[in-house]
Amino acid sequence: MIILGIILLVVGFLLKIQILWVIGIVVLIIGLVLLALGSMGRAVGGRRHYF
């Protein structure tokens, strides 16, 4: 999710498409939250790790 968020940010910035920029930020934040929760050993959605 983190990589997808970064790709959407870059594409949205280069093509000047605002909605891709916003979706990229949201996906990136969700990916970072899931990464942080998984690294603390807390199972999220039945999964302990998110790669």
Side-chain angles (χ1 to χ4, degrees), residues 14-37:
L14 293 177
L15 298 178
K16 308 262 195 256
I17 300 174
Q18 185 68 29
I19 191 70
L20 285 181
W21 180 258
V22 173
I23 292 173
I25 291 173
V26 170
V27 170
L28 183 65
I29 290 173
I30 290 173
L32 290 175
V33 167
L34 290 175
L35 177 71
L37 289 175

